[in-house]
Amino acid sequence: MAWAWLVALMVAGSLTGCLGSSPTPTPDPTPTPSPAPTPPPILIITSPEDGDVVRSSSVQVVGTAPAGAEIVQDLPLFADRRTSADDKGDWVLTVDLEEGDNDLVFRIGDDQATTKTLRIVYEPES
């Protein structure tokens, strides 16, 4: 009978610890915030407009891009022409034209996704 009393005392002691205290909740870990996505660079040509007809053999192409961005005019078979956007994002590049249609291709640095094509028609005065 001594054994029964000892077992009952041990069970009662272990139940007292379980019943007398409330469980401690496990805190949820704080998720690490993900960085805001970087917007893609945008190249905008403000002047001249696509399809403009000009009488001069050169034209100033004016636009905006991210501040400090390198603007590249893609010239097939020749070295590309380059300029940089100023601290406000403004840029200007003077382009020589050939008589007739001139398809001008611009991009930001080597980023092909920013490519913009502009057609300028040069019709010299007669």
Side-chain angles (χ1 to χ4, degrees):
M1 194 61 89
W3 285 100
W5 181 80
L6 183 59
V7 169
L9 185 58
M10 289 173 52
V11 169
S14 65
L15 287 178
T16 301
C18 290
L19 298 176
S21 64
S22 59
T24 304
T26 304
D28 290 334
T30 303
T32 304
S34 57
T38 303
I42 297 174
L43 176 67
I44 298 173
I45 298 172
T46 57
S47 175
E49 292 187 21
D50 188 42
D52 276 359
V53 177
V54 298
R55 302 285 182 216
S56 175
S57 62
S58 67
V59 66
Q60 282 195 328
V61 180
V62 180
T64 62
E70 178 185 48
I71 311 305
V72 178
Q73 179 190 6
D74 184 13
L75 296 173
L77 306 176
F78 296 99
D80 293 341
R81 297 191 64 219
R82 300 168 189 277
T83 190
S84 294
D86 65 17
D87 58 350
K88 295 178 186 175
D90 298 325
W91 59 272
V92 177
L93 190 62
T94 301
V95 176
D96 293 327
L97 303 173
E98 295 182 13
E99 192 170 331
D101 293 346
N102 291 265
D103 291 324
L104 310 176
V105 180
F106 299 91
R107 68 177 182 274
I108 296 175
D110 292 328
D111 188 352
Q112 298 295 327
T114 63
T115 299
K116 301 282 183 190
T117 301
L118 176 68
R119 175 170 283 180
I120 302 298
V121 180
Y122 169 40
E123 292 180 357
E125 294 187 36
S126 309

